[in-house]
Amino acid sequence: MKRDCLKLGDLSADEHRALVHRAKTLKDARRERRVVRTLEGRTLICIFEKASTRTRLSFEAAMGQLC
C-alpha cells in the first residue's frame, strides 16, 4: 500500500531502523563499486516549487545511480 512520508514522525521505530540499514547497504555497495538497480523499470520525476540547481542535480544523480 502506498504511504507518504513527509516527516520522521510518519515512520515507526522499526521503519527508521530499516531505512538506516538500507542506506548503509546502498552506501557500502557504492563504495565497493557494485551496481544497484533498485529503481530499474520505474519512471522517476522531480518536481520542485522553487528553482534549486544544487538540489535538482543531487536528486538526478541519485536517481541515475539507482536505475
Side-chain angles (χ1 to χ4, degrees), residues 11-66:
L11 300 175
S12 68
D14 287 339
E15 290 170 320
H16 280 252
R17 280 189 283 281
L19 184 62
V20 171
H21 181 264
R22 179 64 177 155
K24 183 181 182 326
T25 300
L26 290 172
K27 189 172 183 176
D28 291 345
R30 177 134 173 88
R31 186 178 303 115
E32 296 167 6
R33 299 188 188 282
R34 285 186 282 132
V35 176
V36 178
R37 298 287 181 209
T38 300
L39 302 176
E40 187 171 38
R42 300 200 181 217
T43 301
L44 307 173
I45 185 170
C46 288
I47 299 173
F48 297 99
E49 289 183 20
K50 299 177 183 176
S52 176
T53 303
R54 184 177 54 202
T55 302
R56 181 181 56 83
L57 292 175
S58 296
F59 273 81
E60 287 179 5
M63 291 185 319
Q65 291 171 8
L66 295 174

